[in-house]
Amino acid sequence: MTTEPSTSAATSTAAALAGDANGTEPWSARVRTLSRLGRHREVLALLRDGDPSPPPHALALPAAVISCTALSLVSGVAQIQALGCKRGLLPSSDAYLLSSLLSSYSRLGLLPRAHQLLDEMPLASTPPTTLRTAFNSLISGCALHALPAACFALFRRMRAASAPFDAVTLMTLLPAAPQSVVPQLHALVGKAGLAAQTNVANCLISAYARRGAGLARQVFDEMPLTSRDIVSWNAVLSAHAQNGLAVDALDLYSRMCGHDGGGVEPDAVTLVSVLSSCAHLGARGVGLGVERYMQERLPGFRANMQLCNSLINFHARCGNLPQAQRLFNEMPRKSIVSWTALITGYGMHGHGDVAVNLFQAMVSEGIRPDNVAMVGLLSACSHAGMYEEGRKYFSAMESTYQLRPTLEHYTCMVDLLGRAGRLKEAQELISSMPMPADGAVWGALLGACKIHKNVEIGEEAFEHVIKLEPSNVGYYVLMANIYTDTGQLEGVVRVRAMMRERGLKKEPGCSYVENKGRVHLFMADDHSHPQAKRIYELVIKLEQMVTERTDGTVETGQGRVDEGYSGKMAAPLIGFHSEKLAVAFGMLNTDDSEIVVIKNLRVCGDCHSFLKAVSAIANRAFLVRDASRFHRFEGGACSCKDYW
């Protein structure tokens, strides 16, 4: 057998293995043992120089194939194939050797040789189990090289040859299957009676999750409780977390930790999905519980970079930047995801200068930014009104970092220019884009027109955005608000008529606050809370105090999505916005701690002014995360400096 140049050491090893004290062990068994231990050179030395008597058993040859593959010795694999043919083990007598050869050629990138070996098999006289093994090996090889069409061509050929498929076949095909084919494979799973197998069900969940959580959840729900393992739970949790169904993901996590989990313990993969959902929702209580679990049950979690990144992202998006920074500082190694999570977090809190300094530190440490990091940086510049810095880094994307701007980067820049009042410049940027602008780009321009009350450009942006996203009700509300702010009531009537014709209803504003382990949800003008009477009494009292403090005049600021409030403080019984109710609840049920509120829409100008005033009157701090960023109200001021 041709291998690398022999050495006296290799020959001595072979001789020792052939005649040492363990000589009672069958020669072929020693070959397999060495292969399992990863001592591949010794395997080949023994096969070449060991001079076994009798000749090597067939079970030794597959082990030798594995060793040749590990050493990338194509000629060695070919010689073992020739030896197998000479001894009558190929092309179809020995399924184990055949499978090893097919897998080896596939892993070495020699798919034509693998196909040739399969073609040489006499299909009619080959045992069905050997056929199945051969086809499975080659299908796996094609999947390894991301050749889905080849996988399914082989599967059709396998079916035509009446070769039986099994769970291994389907578990290889499902990850490679186009979405339209997954239901067909699911039907085959059921027909073959393989649906009860946990591994197959797990593959189905993951395959369906690529296009949504509905069917993935259906497969999961149909699994017997006793069949669900950690992979099952992780697959369905991930399906919901990645498709924006954070509430359902946390509900599943609660079930997993309860009776339905059957004793399955969350692992790092589970907790990454859960923390992602907590960050999305602002579910501080659940996320802090996850952190405690990690500290108590996963003492080595700091070595898991993905888990640490998720925890940093959770704290940053739930308002605890100091803790996010501490975790970042304590990480033994940092990836670009670590840096991006912190940069984005500081940007959401309006600390654009810190975000820029972090970005520069990242680059100085030799980490090259990617598109996601640049989105975080440009967004941070936009939230902080850092026009010059945003322009500089956007220009540097291609010239310095060899990154081609995507629609997300253009959206950030249109937002940056628009907030700064450079609406014409934002229009010109959209016109110069190398790709058509999407709804987010035009929506950013429309939002800027709302800030600066520009009807003309707003109408142009509105015309484009409703063609691209005709059912996004937020854009209709923005345009109606622009007309309202400029006193053009006919325009308001037109937009509302369009909404009625298209069956669109404005998304209701809602805010929630956590207290003593419970989440309390408030809607605009909602009276369903058990403490509603006291909450409304406090809001009315605070409204009166604010009116007295401001002599009846209120800055509306840069108004955002209206929840139905008239904007006039003279009518305090009309339009109790959800964040006002949430803050009042927090004030009634806590002493002097910071009150954290999560809101689904952007804070409107009236509520922004109200919360600034109340923070001074009550000497309390409020942290409000709206749909875009954080606002920290304290001492009569907001961290956004009235720029949001």
Side-chain angles (χ1 to χ4, degrees):
M1 174 174 294
T2 303
T3 63
E4 296 179 357
S6 66
T7 64
S8 58
T11 304
S12 299
T13 299
L17 287 166
D20 64 8
N22 293 323
T24 55
E25 181 184 20
W27 186 92
S28 58
R30 274 177 279 156
V31 170
R32 299 199 304 276
T33 299
L34 287 170
S35 181
R36 280 197 303 271
L37 293 173
R39 294 161 63 177
H40 301 300
R41 297 181 189 279
E42 295 173 35
V43 168
L44 300 188
L46 180 58
L47 190 64
R48 182 189 57 204
D49 301 321
D51 191 23
S53 183
H57 188 274
L59 289 176
L61 297 182
V65 171
I66 293 171
S67 293
C68 287
T69 306
L71 297 171
S72 299
L73 293 175
V74 176
S75 60
V77 177
Q79 289 180 60
I80 294 172
Q81 179 184 347
L83 180 59
C85 291
K86 183 178 180 181
R87 298 195 53 204
L89 301 172
L90 297 173
S92 61
S93 296
D94 192 298
Y96 190 18
L97 177 58
L98 180 65
S99 173
S100 298
L101 286 166
L102 287 168
S103 297
S104 176
Y105 283 135
S106 298
R107 288 185 179 279
L108 293 171
L110 301 171
L111 286 173
R113 288 199 187 186
H115 279 282
Q116 182 181 354
L117 183 57
L118 185 68
D119 291 342
E120 291 172 354
M121 291 177 58
L123 299 181
S125 59
T126 302
T129 54
T130 303
L131 275 179
R132 179 177 63 201
T133 300
F135 275 105
N136 282 352
S137 298
L138 193 46
I139 290 172
S140 296
C142 292
L144 179 68
H145 293 280
L147 299 170
C151 291
F152 284 92
L154 280 165
F155 183 60
R156 287 191 293 272
R157 184 177 166 191
M158 181 181 185
R159 300 282 283 159
S162 299
F165 63 86
D166 60 3
V168 174
T169 320
L170 294 168
M171 288 166 60
T172 305
L173 289 172
L174 280 166
Q179 285 299 307
S180 59
V181 177
V182 175
Q184 299 174 50
L185 291 175
H186 192 177
L188 281 177
V189 166
K191 187 176 180 181
L194 298 170
Q197 292 196 21
T198 299
N199 289 344
V200 176
N202 291 346
C203 268
L204 276 169
I205 294 170
S206 297
Y208 277 129
R210 296 199 300 268
R211 68 171 180 180
L215 291 172
R217 179 63 175 269
Q218 181 180 325
V219 174
F220 177 82
D221 288 341
E222 290 171 355
M223 293 177 71
L225 289 178
T226 53
S227 296
R228 297 171 183 166
D229 60 9
I230 185 63
V231 178
S232 317
W233 284 101
N234 285 348
V236 74
L237 270 166
S238 177
H240 287 79
Q242 291 178 7
N243 285 285
L245 301 171
V247 173
D248 297 286
L250 295 189
D251 177 64
L252 281 163
Y253 176 65
S254 177
R255 287 177 55 192
M256 177 184 177
C257 295
H259 178 72
D260 285 357
V264 173
E265 291 279 338
D267 64 5
V269 177
T270 318
L271 301 181
V272 166
S273 291
V274 174
L275 286 170
S276 170
S277 297
C278 290
H280 180 75
L281 288 174
R284 287 159 56 99
V286 178
L288 292 173
V290 169
E291 186 173 30
R292 285 192 297 273
Y293 178 90
M294 289 162 56
Q295 292 167 346
E296 295 168 4
R297 306 294 291 273
L298 300 175
F301 78 89
R302 293 185 190 281
N304 187 319
M305 188 179 294
Q306 189 177 13
L307 195 51
C308 284
N309 290 342
S310 298
L311 198 55
I312 290 170
N313 182 58
F314 157 72
H315 280 299
R317 289 180 177 272
C318 289
N320 195 342
L321 269 179
Q323 178 63 5
Q325 182 71 64
R326 277 193 293 273
L327 286 163
F328 178 84
N329 293 342
E330 292 169 1
M331 288 182 72
R333 289 187 306 112
K334 301 174 181 69
S335 68
I336 189 169
V337 178
S338 319
W339 288 94
T340 301
L342 203 58
I343 289 168
T344 303
Y346 276 104
M348 286 184 68
H349 285 260
H351 302 307
D353 53 343
V354 181
V356 167
N357 289 339
L358 277 168
F359 180 84
Q360 292 172 340
M362 178 185 79
V363 172
S364 68
E365 292 198 9
I367 297 179
R368 181 178 172 182
D370 61 7
N371 280 328
V372 180
M374 294 305 301
V375 167
L377 178 66
L378 294 175
S379 178
C381 292
S382 178
H383 285 311
M386 298 169 66
Y387 168 77
E388 295 296 340
E389 290 84 352
R391 291 280 307 191
K392 180 182 77 172
Y393 284 111
F394 182 72
S395 299
M397 281 187 66
E398 287 193 89
S399 61
T400 306
Y401 305 119
Q402 289 76 54
L403 295 171
R404 182 167 295 179
T406 67
L407 283 167
E408 283 187 283
H409 301 106
Y410 281 105
T411 300
C412 289
M413 285 306 299
V414 170
D415 189 57
L416 172 69
L417 295 169
R419 289 175 190 273
R422 300 172 181 267
L423 298 177
K424 290 289 185 183
E425 194 174 339
Q427 277 184 304
E428 292 169 2
L429 179 64
I430 293 174
S431 300
S432 70
M433 287 171 56
M435 75 285 282
D438 64 356
V441 172
W442 287 111
L445 182 60
L446 183 62
C449 292
K450 168 67 177 72
I451 295 172
H452 299 288
K453 300 180 175 59
N454 190 308
V455 175
E456 181 184 352
I457 297 178
E459 286 177 335
E460 179 193 349
F462 181 65
E463 182 180 344
H464 283 285
V465 80
I466 62 171
K467 287 180 181 177
L468 295 164
E469 298 183 27
S471 61
N472 190 328
V473 69
Y475 296 134
Y476 296 85
V477 174
L478 271 176
M479 192 67 234
N481 286 347
I482 294 173
Y483 285 131
T484 300
D485 291 345
T486 54
Q488 300 188 34
L489 298 184
E490 290 183 0
V492 177
V493 172
R494 283 199 308 273
V495 173
R496 288 179 176 172
M498 291 174 67
M499 292 174 67
R500 283 195 301 272
E501 290 169 5
R502 301 180 184 191
L504 301 175
K505 292 184 179 181
K506 185 173 68 65
E507 181 183 6
C510 66
S511 300
Y512 64 86
V513 59
E514 290 188 39
N515 183 53
K516 296 179 180 178
R518 287 189 57 204
V519 174
H520 298 262
L521 178 69
F522 299 91
M523 309 287 285
D525 296 320
D526 180 17
H527 289 262
S528 63
H529 195 276
Q531 298 182 33
K533 185 174 184 296
R534 295 178 62 207
I535 290 169
Y536 277 82
E537 287 174 351
L538 179 56
V539 173
I540 292 171
K541 181 180 178 181
L542 292 170
E543 293 270 19
Q544 291 170 345
M545 294 173 71
V546 170
T547 302
E548 292 170 3
R549 182 185 179 92
T550 58
D551 297 324
T553 61
V554 178
E555 295 179 16
T556 57
Q558 301 174 42
R560 287 297 188 272
V561 178
D562 182 27
E563 290 184 331
Y565 184 63
S566 66
K568 297 179 181 178
M569 299 293 273
L573 296 178
I574 299 174
F576 287 86
H577 291 193
S578 61
E579 58 265 54
K580 291 184 180 181
L581 301 177
V583 164
F585 168 82
M587 292 176 68
L588 288 169
N589 291 275
T590 60
D591 294 328
D592 57 358
S593 58
E594 182 178 77
I595 296 169
V596 180
V597 176
I598 309 296
K599 179 176 168 63
N600 67 325
L601 303 178
R602 286 185 175 181
V603 176
C604 73
D606 166 64
C607 287
H608 196 268
S609 298
F610 172 82
L611 293 174
K612 282 198 302 180
V614 171
S615 71
I617 292 169
N619 194 27
R620 296 292 299 269
F622 314 126
L623 185 66
V624 179
R625 191 186 90 177
D626 68 10
S628 176
R629 57 167 298 154
F630 279 94
H631 300 262
R632 191 172 193 276
F633 301 93
E634 187 173 20
C638 179
S639 60
C640 75
K641 300 179 177 63
D642 297 333
Y643 188 93
W644 85 95

